[in-house]
Amino acid sequence: MVSLIYSAAINGIDASIVEVETYISSGMPIFSIVGLPDTAVKESRDRVVAAMKNSGFDFPLKKITVNLAPADIKKEGVIFDLSMALGILAAMGKIKREILQRFCAVGELSLNGKIRKVKGVLPISLILQKNNIGNFIVPFVNRQEAAVAGKVNVYPFRTLAEIVKFINGELKSDPYVYNEKDIDVPVESDYDFADVKGQQNAKRAAEIAAAGSHNIIMSGPPGSGKTMIAKRIPGILPPMTFDEAVETTKIWSAVGRSFGGGLIRRRTFRNPHHNSSAVALAGGGVYPKPGEVSLSHNGVLFLDEFMEFKRDSLEVLRQPLEDKEIVVARAKNSFIFPASFMLVAAMNPCPCGNLGHREKECVCSPLQIRRYRSKISGPLMDRIDIHIEVPALKISELLSLDNNAESSACIRERVIRAREIQNIRFRGSGIYANAQMQSKEIKKYCTLSGDAYEALKIAIEKLNFSARSYDKILKISRTIADLESSDEINVNHIAEAIRYRVFDRS
C-alpha cells in the first residue's frame, strides 16, 4: 500500500516541493530512504521509529521504502521527519490516505513524539501558494512564520499524536491566522543620534546617506565615534514595506537564524568581524547558503576596521553593490541571493590611526599611508558614494553636559519625506532611491541651476574629479535637494556634495 504526503527541500533561500511516497511490503524488516538523502535525512529512521512507538503506535516489522521525489534534488536536514512518520502511518491504514495527500508537513521529531522547530518554513509556505497546495502542517513554534504570507491554511501542532487525530477528524483545529498585533515586533532602534556628541558633519553625512541609500565610508582616528554613528543609521531609515519584510524574513528563515517569529520589521544591521572570509560575506559552501551581504538585505552592512579585511573578502562586495544580488555558481546549479543593502564602512586614516589628529602625532610615512589605503581597489571605492572624515572629539565636546543633539526620530522624519519624493520620482522604473540612478536618470532628474553648474565646473577643474566622481556628486546633490524639497539642484547642494568626496581630493 502506497501513501503520499508533501514536504519540501530548501535550496539556497528557495524551496521546492517534495513528494514523500511510502510503500510497505512483506519481507525482511528494513527501513529504506531513497531520493538523494543526506546523512541527517537517513538518521530520521531512528527518530521516526522512536517517535511512533512513544506516541502509542506500533511500528510495522516489514519492508518500508520511503521515496523523496524528485530524486535528483539533494535532500538535507531534519525537515522530513514528520512527513515520513505520517506517510508510514497512512500506509499502515492508521491515517486516511485520501485526506493526508492534501497536506504538506514539515517538522523534526523528538524521540517522545514531540515536534521541534525547523528552518525554511516561510520559503516553503510561499512555494505552496504557487503550487496550489492549501494545507500546511508545521511545528507549533513555526506557526507565525508559516502564516505571514497568507493564502495557505496553517495547522500548528506540538505532537505527532495530535496530528493523527486531526487528520482522522477526531480533533478539531482551525487554521492559524497571523495577527501582528499579538506579537511584540520591535520596530524602533535601541540607538539614538542624540547620544552622539559633536560630529555634526558626520551625522549630516549619515542622514544624506540614509535619505538616498548611498554607501558611505568614514575615516577617522580610534574613538572618534564612527561605530556609534554607524549603529544609529538603521534607526533613521524608512520603515520596511510588507514586501521588504517578507524578503528579509525569507532569507533569515532559510538560513535558520532566530528572529522571534512573524515578520522581521526592523531593518537588519550586520557587523561581521574583519577576519570574515569571502564565503562568509558573499555566501557559498558545499550546499550554498546566504552570507552576510544577503543577511543585511534591505538593511545595513557595517564593516568596521575596513582596511583590516582581506582583499579578496572586500572584492566580493563589488557585484552585490552594483547588481543588488550575488550569484553563487556551482557545477550543477547557480544560486541567486538578494543583496540590496546599504554599505557603511569605517577605517583609520593610517596604520597608526593618528593622521590628522589634533593632539597625537602620526608616525606613519607617506609610503606606509599609500600602501595602507591601496588595500581598497579603485572599482570598490567607486561604488562608495560618500567619503567623510570623522575627526577626534575636542575635549570641550567630550566633557560637555549640554546635549542639544538632534534625536533619531527627527532625522528619520526628514529621511522619510525625502524617500517619498524619490518613490514618486522613480515610480514604475524599478529604482527606489537616488543611489541607484544610472546615466539616463541622472541626466533627467539632476537639473542644475546656472550657479550650481558653474560651481561644479570649477570644482572639476580645480580638484581634478573623475567622471565617476562627477556622477556621484550629482546623485548626492539630488538627495540633499530632496531633503530640502527642492526640485532644482542649487549651488549650496553642489558645494555640500563636493565635501563628501574627500578621497577623490586626497
Side-chain angles (χ1 to χ4, degrees):
M1 186 177 293
V2 178
S3 67
L4 170 67
I5 186 174
Y6 295 102
S7 189
I10 303 298
N11 300 294
I13 63 169
D14 295 312
S16 54
I17 299 297
V18 173
E19 295 181 0
V20 180
E21 300 173 310
T22 306
Y23 176 60
I24 299 179
S25 60
S26 55
M28 293 289 293
I30 298 175
F31 190 169
S32 176
I33 303 173
V34 297
L36 210 59
D38 73 348
T39 302
V41 178
K42 293 177 181 178
E43 289 176 348
S44 296
R45 290 175 293 201
D46 296 326
R47 292 191 295 272
V48 169
V49 172
M52 288 179 60
K53 289 183 176 179
N54 289 317
S55 297
F57 304 105
D58 294 328
F59 191 82
L61 297 177
K62 296 183 178 181
K63 183 178 180 180
I64 301 173
T65 304
V66 176
N67 179 40
L68 306 177
D72 59 343
I73 297 177
K74 184 71 176 179
K75 320 299 188 309
E76 60 174 333
V78 297
I79 200 169
F80 301 101
D81 287 10
L82 179 58
S83 56
M84 285 193 281
L86 293 173
I88 293 172
L89 289 168
M92 293 169 58
K94 301 293 184 181
I95 295 178
K96 298 176 181 178
R97 288 184 299 157
E98 65 278 5
I99 296 179
L100 184 65
Q101 61 188 12
R102 303 174 190 168
F103 288 87
C104 174
V106 297
E108 177 187 355
L109 287 174
S110 65
L111 299 184
N112 61 3
K114 292 183 178 179
I115 306 171
R116 293 187 174 129
K117 180 180 180 180
V118 292
K119 65 182 181 180
V121 170
L122 179 54
I124 295 171
S125 183
L126 294 172
I127 200 67
L128 292 180
Q129 294 180 21
K130 293 182 180 179
N131 288 270
N132 297 318
I133 300 174
N135 301 301
F136 193 15
I137 296 175
V138 299
F140 189 81
V141 292
N142 286 120
R143 65 194 185 283
Q144 298 165 358
E145 181 185 345
V148 293
K151 298 181 182 179
V152 173
N153 296 323
V154 175
Y155 298 96
F157 292 98
R158 290 186 171 91
T159 66
L160 176 62
E162 289 177 351
I163 299 174
V164 174
K165 291 179 180 179
F166 165 70
I167 295 175
N168 288 333
E170 300 171 8
L171 175 66
K172 182 176 176 57
S173 178
D174 296 325
Y176 175 79
V177 178
Y178 174 74
N179 187 354
E180 188 176 339
K181 294 181 180 179
D182 296 336
I183 304 167
D184 182 19
V185 182
V187 176
E188 301 300 328
S189 174
D190 298 327
Y191 301 101
D192 198 306
F193 267 99
D195 301 328
V196 181
K197 294 185 177 181
Q199 305 299 6
Q200 299 303 321
N201 195 35
K203 288 191 281 188
R204 170 65 174 173
E207 177 182 343
I208 295 168
S213 192
H214 299 287
N215 301 314
I216 180 174
I217 183 168
M218 297 178 285
S219 174
S224 57
K226 302 185 297 294
T227 302
M228 283 189 70
I229 292 171
K231 287 182 176 180
R232 283 152 179 79
I233 289 178
I236 63 173
L237 290 172
M240 285 204 291
T241 64
F242 178 79
D243 290 340
E244 286 178 328
V246 170
E247 289 174 359
T248 304
T249 308
K250 178 181 175 182
I251 297 169
W252 282 59
S253 174
V255 176
R257 296 296 181 105
S258 175
F259 51 87
L263 286 178
I264 296 175
R265 285 293 190 181
R266 178 188 291 184
R267 292 192 182 272
T268 55
F269 180 85
R270 302 296 298 174
N271 183 15
H273 192 265
H274 60 259
N275 281 336
S276 300
S277 65
V279 173
L281 289 176
V286 178
Y287 306 119
K289 302 293 183 185
E292 292 292 340
V293 297
S294 294
L295 290 173
S296 57
H297 182 61
N298 292 321
V300 173
L301 176 64
F302 176 48
L303 300 184
D304 202 3
E305 304 294 345
F306 195 56
M307 294 298 189
E308 302 303 323
F309 281 83
K310 296 177 183 177
R311 189 180 180 91
D312 63 329
S313 298
L314 293 178
E315 290 304 305
V316 302
L317 298 174
R318 287 164 58 176
Q319 183 194 16
L321 286 175
E322 185 72 22
D323 301 332
K324 304 302 179 184
E325 64 182 22
I326 192 159
V327 180
V328 179
R330 293 292 181 265
K332 293 185 178 181
N333 201 358
S334 293
F335 298 84
I336 299 177
F337 300 140
S340 179
F341 59 90
M342 178 179 164
L343 175 65
V344 179
M347 56 173 277
N348 292 334
C350 65
C352 76
N354 295 326
L355 182 65
H357 200 287
R358 294 187 180 94
E359 300 174 358
K360 298 181 180 179
E361 182 181 358
C362 175
V363 297
C364 305
S365 68
L367 178 60
Q368 288 176 315
I369 295 173
R370 284 197 298 271
R371 285 178 176 173
Y372 180 74
R373 294 193 173 184
S374 67
K375 292 181 180 180
I376 308 178
S377 67
L380 177 58
M381 185 60 74
D382 182 32
R383 289 163 171 79
I384 302 177
D385 299 352
I386 297 177
H387 316 153
I388 187 72
E389 290 180 338
V390 185
L393 282 174
K394 298 178 182 178
I395 296 178
S396 58
E397 292 176 324
L398 186 62
L399 298 180
S400 175
L401 299 177
D402 182 20
N403 187 11
N404 294 321
E406 203 171 21
S407 68
S408 292
C410 294
I411 300 173
R412 191 183 194 210
E413 288 180 6
R414 294 195 296 269
V415 170
I416 291 174
R417 286 198 300 268
R419 284 291 186 98
E420 289 173 349
I421 293 172
Q422 294 165 54
N423 289 336
I424 295 172
R425 175 185 298 138
F426 302 123
R427 184 173 295 163
S429 65
I431 297 175
Y432 66 87
N434 290 331
Q436 292 183 308
M437 286 192 294
Q438 301 299 322
S439 298
K440 178 181 177 182
E441 289 78 24
I442 292 174
K443 184 177 180 181
K444 182 176 180 181
Y445 298 116
C446 296
T447 305
L448 302 179
S449 66
D451 292 342
Y453 176 81
E454 290 299 325
L456 182 56
K457 181 180 177 181
I458 293 172
I460 293 174
E461 293 173 350
K462 296 280 187 179
L463 302 175
N464 197 27
F465 283 134
S466 65
R468 66 172 179 263
S469 297
Y470 170 77
D471 285 347
K472 299 294 185 185
I473 290 171
L474 288 178
K475 291 180 184 180
I476 298 167
S477 301
R478 180 67 269 170
T479 301
I480 296 171
D482 290 342
L483 284 167
E484 297 181 3
S485 301
S486 173
D487 293 332
E488 193 175 47
I489 297 175
N490 298 320
V491 63
N492 59 307
H493 305 146
I494 286 290
E496 185 176 3
I498 291 171
R499 287 166 40 201
Y500 302 131
R501 298 294 299 179
V502 294
F503 288 162
D504 289 338
R505 303 198 304 265
S506 58

